[in-house]
Amino acid sequence: MANSFYFFFYFTDLIPIIFLVALNRRLRRNNIQFWILFLFYFIYSLLNNIVLILLPRPPLLEEAFYYRIFTIIEFSVISYFFYGISHIRILKRFILFLSLAGLIFFLVRFTLFKSNDALGSLEITIVSIQIIIYSLFYLFEQIQEPRNFLIYNTTEFWFVTGVLIYFSGTFFIFIYTKDYLANNDDFAQLYNIINSSLYLVKNLLVTIGLLVSNKSIGINNKDNDLFA
Amino acid sequence: MLLLQISSTDSPVSLVLFFGTVGMLALTIGLIVFIIFHQRKVIRYQMQLQRLEQEQQKMLLNASIKLQEEERQRIAADLHDDAGPLLATARLYLNENLVNQDKTTQLQSIYNAKQIIDDTIQLIRNISHSLMPPTLKNFGLESAVNDLFQKISGSGSMNASCRFHDYRDRLHPDHELIIFRVIQELVNNILKHSKASFIHLTQNLGGNKLYIRLHHDGKGITQADFEKLNKSNVGLGLKNIQSRLKLLHGRIFFEKDMSQTYYKITIEIPKSEEIIGD
């Protein structure tokens, strides 16, 4: 029952989906590429969560496929997003290089190596580290080349904040899932609490990002925002 | 409930998880807040710099326009007060009644009119030369500056000399004109304000830079005075000098010599620069 309660949080993907659809005219007009990306990511995330709810807990090795594929797709989408919003060439190249290296590693590990870790704890940890690094790059870029006086008036800021909070908060949880999730009920409960609440926070922050006004006064006043 | 759970368990893993997660979240939120405030500070500072630069540009432009108008007024005054009366006098000598005069009187009138017209031609030539000295265009900066200093010495007001140590290759004519105007302006300022008895100009090359140094024994200004005058609404000539030198990426320094006997002005210009705005 308690576990069922946490499943509710996985449906919070609906919140950004609803706003993406409701505001589709404005968002699509300004940046259709990222609108499609966001929509795909949240719909896929929702469908994946529905599938995972139906699967037994703790996850079995046979279900590793769903977890690993989701990790790879999530990583690809978020990396592409960071690549798209970065304006400093050297950072863009670094993101591209790291992302490609990560993807190759995941695919090789997924296809060639048999693991007894159903959740893909190592992959998720690496993804978390990389996304935290990309978020730091973004924040560094905002200091080096500030484009907006009110940074929190941009959609990308809220998206970056959301994923940064989610991946930094769940970092330690994901490290220990391999050894403790199957055998330790206390750990499992802790995992559910932390993961689901931060998941909700992430989705709420992204939704705020979709709603913010894009008319902030900046220095350059061009390319200020994803959906400007 | 979460805290009870963690404190009641013996497992150190739960403690690590809890504190690790809280620590990471605290760091993340702290970092984001710091970035927001720092970035606003940076933008505010950059906007302030932009504003100051715009004000400086506006002041330089106003100075330039004012100086242009003063120059035009001076030319107009020269023409009106000098050339005008001369030509009017020549006209008096050449009126219709001349045909009724005897030959001697006619010849005398024609001769006087010719003298006056010659003087007028010379006057207009002088005005034209002061606007654009032909020596500069035809013979270069060294000759034009030599000419200028000879005229000053010739007037008897002060002892002026110049020496070009290394000016084998002429600069671009536009560069030479700008440098000549700067030297003209500096010399005019020295003549007007310093009460100097001598002025000496030297030219050197140092690396890829051209150095022009002006020494005089009158009352001069230091770099601090120059900066102060530049920021204020007075000192139009100095602003003009600075804006001209800026076109050449040049710099100017005002200082008192170490022996405290004379003032030195150093102009430093990179040799191979394009003029800004070309």
Side-chain angles (χ1 to χ4, degrees):
Chain A
M1 181 61 195
N3 282 343
S4 310
F5 172 72
Y6 297 119
F7 292 150
F8 156 76
F9 288 94
Y10 297 132
F11 285 92
T12 54
D13 283 315
L14 275 171
I15 305 172
I17 291 171
I18 290 167
F19 281 95
L20 276 167
V21 169
L23 301 170
N24 83 88
R25 263 198 189 167
R26 171 169 71 85
L27 299 174
R28 262 191 319 160
R29 188 176 53 231
N30 295 319
N31 199 328
I32 188 165
Q33 193 182 24
F34 280 108
W35 181 80
I36 293 171
L37 194 72
F38 281 14
L39 198 60
F40 166 74
Y41 171 66
F42 287 108
I43 290 174
Y44 179 76
S45 189
L46 179 69
L47 293 172
N48 190 66
N49 289 337
I50 292 169
V51 166
L52 293 176
I53 287 166
L54 298 171
L55 292 173
R57 289 288 180 117
L60 303 173
L61 277 173
E62 290 78 15
E63 281 89 37
F65 172 79
Y66 298 103
Y67 294 103
R68 304 289 172 88
I69 287 289
F70 178 72
T71 303
I72 291 171
I73 290 178
E74 183 181 46
F75 176 67
S76 306
V77 166
I78 294 177
S79 300
Y80 183 73
F81 167 76
F82 276 105
Y83 180 81
I85 64 171
S86 179
H87 294 274
I88 298 178
R89 208 185 320 171
I90 196 164
L91 291 182
K92 270 177 109 84
R93 282 187 188 158
F94 201 62
I95 290 169
L96 183 64
F97 172 72
L98 266 185
S99 307
L100 286 172
L103 277 173
I104 292 168
F105 172 76
F106 299 145
L107 287 168
V108 164
R109 206 175 136 76
F110 182 42
T111 50
L112 296 178
F113 292 95
K114 296 288 173 207
S115 167
N116 59 352
D117 171 19
L119 212 57
S121 162
L122 175 66
E123 286 88 340
I124 297 177
T125 307
I126 292 172
V127 165
S128 301
I129 292 170
Q130 284 191 293
I131 288 172
I132 290 170
I133 290 172
Y134 297 164
S135 305
L136 293 176
F137 282 169
Y138 169 78
L139 295 172
F140 168 75
E141 201 181 303
Q142 295 309 304
I143 294 177
Q144 281 291 99
E145 293 183 5
R147 291 165 186 274
N148 239 308
F149 188 66
L150 301 172
I151 188 176
Y152 41 81
N153 258 6
T154 57
T155 307
E156 61 201 34
F157 170 77
W158 290 100
F159 189 87
V160 171
T161 306
V163 297
L164 182 58
I165 287 177
Y166 176 72
F167 283 102
S168 52
T170 53
F171 181 72
F172 282 98
I173 283 279
F174 287 138
I175 289 176
Y176 285 107
T177 48
K178 181 181 163 194
D179 297 322
Y180 291 94
L181 190 61
N183 310 318
N184 192 323
D185 286 341
D186 287 339
F187 179 88
Q189 199 165 11
L190 204 57
Y191 172 88
N192 283 330
I193 293 169
I194 294 175
N195 190 38
S196 45
S197 51
L198 289 174
Y199 200 80
L200 170 67
V201 165
K202 179 190 82 167
N203 287 334
L204 286 175
L205 289 175
V206 169
T207 308
I208 292 170
L210 295 173
L211 290 170
V212 293
S213 156
N214 301 315
K215 289 176 189 148
S216 56
I217 298 161
I219 283 186
N220 297 323
N221 250 345
K222 55 181 180 179
D223 301 329
N224 277 345
D225 184 20
L226 221 46
F227 292 116
Chain B
M1 190 178 124
L2 177 64
L3 284 174
L4 267 175
Q5 208 173 358
I6 288 160
S7 55
S8 67
T9 185
D10 293 327
S11 165
V13 173
S14 299
L15 282 170
V16 168
L17 270 173
F18 176 72
F19 288 111
T21 303
V22 167
M24 287 288 273
L25 282 173
L27 272 172
T28 305
I29 291 167
L31 179 68
I32 289 168
V33 168
F34 167 76
I35 295 290
I36 291 173
F37 283 106
H38 182 81
Q39 189 240 24
R40 284 180 72 166
K41 215 163 107 176
V42 165
I43 290 184
R44 214 177 266 131
Y45 174 73
Q46 283 181 356
M47 282 167 86
Q48 196 185 16
L49 277 180
Q50 253 181 9
R51 230 183 348 255
L52 285 172
E53 205 176 308
Q54 277 169 0
E55 274 168 28
Q56 176 77 354
Q57 293 290 345
K58 204 174 160 187
M59 225 193 307
L60 285 174
L61 185 66
N62 284 342
S64 183
I65 290 169
K66 206 164 175 178
L67 224 65
Q68 252 182 23
E69 290 305 319
E70 279 178 11
E71 184 87 353
R72 281 181 183 149
Q73 277 174 13
R74 190 183 60 76
I75 296 163
D78 279 348
L79 289 171
H80 180 267
D81 298 341
D82 295 338
L86 279 173
L87 289 170
T89 310
R91 191 175 176 280
L92 279 174
Y93 279 110
L94 296 171
N95 64 46
E96 290 83 0
N97 278 338
L98 202 60
V99 297
N100 301 327
Q101 309 286 333
D102 59 278
K103 266 211 168 28
T104 316
T105 314
Q106 278 180 358
L107 273 170
Q108 187 62 38
S109 297
I110 291 167
Y111 178 76
N112 288 341
K114 183 175 164 293
Q115 276 294 106
I116 290 167
I117 289 167
D118 283 344
D119 289 343
T120 313
I121 291 169
Q122 188 58 40
L123 177 74
I124 291 170
R125 196 177 276 146
N126 287 345
I127 293 171
S128 160
H129 283 197
S130 76
L131 285 173
M132 177 57 72
T135 322
L136 179 69
K137 197 174 98 179
N138 298 327
F139 299 105
L141 180 70
E142 185 176 353
S143 304
V145 171
N146 269 324
D147 246 7
L148 172 69
F149 275 60
Q150 269 170 19
K151 282 198 182 99
I152 294 168
S153 279
S155 69
S157 54
M158 68 159 64
N159 183 9
S161 59
C162 71
R163 191 176 169 79
F164 279 64
H165 291 279
D166 191 358
Y167 197 68
R168 278 185 291 267
D169 303 317
R170 279 181 64 178
L171 295 173
H172 191 277
D174 293 338
H175 291 208
E176 283 192 328
L177 179 60
I178 292 172
I179 296 168
F180 182 76
R181 290 288 183 228
V182 168
I183 294 171
Q184 233 181 1
E185 187 68 43
L186 287 168
V187 165
N188 282 342
N189 283 348
I190 292 168
L191 287 170
K192 265 197 284 191
H193 304 294
S194 73
K195 296 190 178 78
S197 63
F198 91 87
I199 176 168
H200 180 63
L201 183 144
T202 54
Q203 175 270 336
N204 297 93
L205 278 180
N208 201 29
K209 293 195 175 144
L210 177 82
Y211 292 94
I212 291 173
R213 290 182 182 89
L214 270 167
H215 301 83
H216 68 92
D217 64 346
K219 191 181 177 317
I221 60 170
T222 57
Q223 192 65 21
D225 297 328
F226 170 66
E227 254 134 57
K228 202 171 143 191
L229 283 166
N230 235 355
K231 285 193 181 80
S232 68
N233 287 331
V234 296
L236 293 176
L238 292 173
K239 286 189 180 56
N240 210 10
I241 286 170
Q242 197 177 40
S243 55
R244 285 186 201 268
L245 285 174
K246 215 169 167 181
L247 289 172
L248 299 176
H249 302 277
R251 298 194 293 174
I252 188 164
F253 305 100
F254 293 83
E255 56 192 326
K256 196 163 186 179
D257 177 69
M258 279 198 292
S259 61
Q260 301 288 312
T261 49
Y262 58 87
Y263 283 85
K264 188 165 78 171
I265 304 165
T266 307
I267 301 168
E268 178 193 294
I269 294 160
K271 256 199 101 170
S272 53
E273 288 286 345
E274 297 291 325
I275 295 181
I276 298 173
D278 265 359

